[in-house]
Amino acid sequence: MSSAEPQTKKTKMASSLEQLKQLTTIVADTGDFEAMKTYKPTDATTNPSLILSAAGMDQYQHLIDKAIKHGQKAGATADEKVSEAADMLFVLFGCEILKLVPGRVSTEIDARLSFNKEASIAKALKLIALYEEQGIKRDRVLIKLASTWEGIQAASVLEKDHNIHCNLTLLFSFAQAVACAEAGVTLISPFVGRILDWYVSNTDQKSFAPEADPGVVSVTKIYNYYKKFGYKTVVMGASFRNVGEIMALAGCDLLTISPKLLGDLEKSTEPVKRYLDADAAKASKLAKIQMDEATFRWMLNEDQMSSDKLADGIRKFAADGRKLETMLRGLIEAAE
């Protein structure tokens, strides 16, 4: 009987998600508060697509109503009212998220400002002011900008002159990553799954083992470069297509994961092995790159995948931003 006893007392095997949390900070890639309550991530990140889908749910109607009232009061023209309401909606979602996560929330700058450094800085300062009016300190907010040359330079000014922490998104290339590190940004979000999408669409190879996945290879190289040369910028792998990609980046500083894939990791008890390691990175053979605007633009131009995906990502986020504004415009007109 005693030999059978341990079976009944056997400790439950830790889920892959719990194991991963021991190696990497987990961030929820969602605007859905219920998912955050379920998976208990440290941070959360939003974008126009996530806010647009959340805005269609009944449980968030009170936030939309509040944003519309703010827009009516703060804006003089119809366009100003919509813009003010949109800014406030992002901030209100961020404030709600911060009630559920102990860390930070990322709030995105309008993708249509991706090539305008000064307008990006002004919008970031405005969003931070709105957060501070709601009682949220700036150290709990990451301002999310596209990794264009202008976006990276805007982030540099926000970090150095305003103590505003930035998350550089739509990052597909080594050139973008090096420029971000040189600019001293807090965090980058390289897009793993969208890199894979491009290779599946544009090459003869349609499937990849996790460690050979082009997105995983890209993030691993960036992580190793940052750790080798002692940059303070941290790496947050983003946009995953499958659990294999996530597992192959265990040890990355942060990983931002959708609720569906968080659920898959929660259900799995597959052992998680560390693939990315700061000490091992110091031994990598990567050479230091001297980055300036001309080098950045040339390297990006020579990288078809990154050029395609950056342009495509900006267009898609801008389109979702416009859809959100159209929805808010209709609601403001109805309220008046």
Side-chain angles (χ1 to χ4, degrees):
M1 183 69 201
S2 62
S3 64
E5 240 178 334
Q7 292 303 109
T8 57
K9 290 183 179 172
K10 217 175 204 175
T11 52
K12 186 170 162 280
M13 182 75 181
S15 71
S16 297
L17 181 59
E18 285 309 313
Q19 295 176 63
L20 191 62
K21 284 180 177 178
Q22 304 303 310
L23 302 174
T24 292
T25 299
I26 301 301
V27 179
D29 194 0
T30 178
D32 181 355
F33 307 147
E34 295 311 312
M36 291 174 212
K37 288 176 190 165
T38 303
Y39 299 113
K40 300 181 172 51
T42 303
D43 295 354
T45 179
T46 63
N47 62 42
S49 320
L50 295 169
I51 297 289
L52 185 65
S53 94
M57 300 179 193
D58 289 345
Q59 63 263 43
Y60 305 134
Q61 197 55 51
H62 65 291
L63 298 180
I64 292 164
D65 293 344
K66 195 171 170 183
I68 284 165
K69 286 196 179 78
H70 171 82
Q72 287 175 301
K73 203 167 70 182
T77 65
D79 285 349
E80 281 174 13
K81 286 174 186 174
V82 170
S83 175
E84 293 284 352
D87 287 346
M88 182 53 92
L89 187 61
F90 272 88
V91 169
L92 291 173
F93 263 98
C95 291
E96 291 298 313
I97 287 166
L98 288 172
K99 292 175 187 172
L100 302 174
V101 301
R104 300 178 293 199
V105 68
S106 288
T107 295
E108 190 134 349
I109 296 287
D110 187 337
R112 288 166 288 183
L113 304 179
S114 295
F115 302 103
N116 189 329
K117 174 185 164 185
E118 298 308 325
S120 293
I121 292 168
K123 180 66 87 174
L125 292 171
K126 170 124 179 282
L127 290 168
I128 290 293
L130 286 172
Y131 269 112
E132 290 180 336
E133 280 169 24
Q134 300 291 320
I136 302 293
K137 292 196 167 75
R138 63 185 62 194
D139 64 356
R140 293 202 70 200
V141 180
L142 287 165
I143 293 293
K144 209 167 171 189
L145 301 119
S147 301
T148 56
W149 181 257
E150 295 79 6
I152 295 166
Q153 300 319 302
S156 179
V157 171
L158 291 166
E159 295 270 5
K160 292 183 176 99
D161 297 349
H162 302 283
N163 197 29
I164 291 172
H165 301 304
C166 298
N167 169 357
L168 274 286
T169 187
L170 294 175
L171 194 146
F172 304 97
S173 73
F174 195 56
Q176 290 170 297
V178 173
C180 286
E182 294 286 340
V185 310
T186 296
L187 181 148
I188 61 164
S189 300
F191 276 33
V192 178
R194 293 196 198 186
I195 293 177
L196 173 66
D197 295 346
W198 190 91
Y199 279 90
V200 168
S201 296
N202 293 280
T203 70
D204 293 336
Q205 192 165 344
K206 301 304 172 192
S207 66
F208 296 83
E211 297 99 289
D213 181 300
V216 170
V217 171
S218 173
V219 174
T220 301
K221 181 180 178 184
I222 291 165
Y223 175 91
N224 287 341
Y225 185 84
Y226 279 16
K227 301 311 175 205
K228 174 165 182 158
F229 295 109
Y231 288 108
K232 73 174 182 70
T233 304
V234 294
V235 181
M236 179 170 76
S239 151
F240 292 104
R241 295 293 175 260
N242 55 63
V243 165
E245 289 178 325
I246 296 167
M247 302 276 260
L249 289 172
C252 193
D253 299 312
L254 306 96
L255 296 172
T256 179
I257 305 172
S258 68
K260 182 199 174 298
L261 292 175
L262 286 170
D264 292 345
L265 287 162
E266 183 87 285
K267 289 188 208 99
S268 165
T269 53
E270 191 184 327
V272 177
K273 169 188 155 193
R274 181 188 286 278
Y275 279 94
L276 274 56
D277 182 89
D279 291 332
K282 292 188 171 62
S284 66
K285 300 213 166 20
L286 294 164
K288 192 102 187 274
I289 291 177
Q290 297 305 313
M291 185 60 68
D292 57 19
E293 183 176 355
T295 306
F296 175 88
R297 293 195 185 282
W298 180 252
M299 284 177 75
L300 197 60
N301 182 71
E302 290 299 279
D303 185 337
Q304 189 187 342
M305 176 275 295
S306 301
S307 298
D308 287 355
K309 296 311 290 183
L310 176 60
D312 181 58
I314 290 170
R315 279 194 297 271
K316 283 183 173 148
F317 280 161
D320 284 336
R322 282 192 290 270
K323 282 184 204 155
L324 192 62
E325 286 183 350
T326 300
M327 181 193 82
L328 291 170
R329 190 180 299 276
L331 291 169
I332 287 168
E333 284 168 2
E336 292 179 343

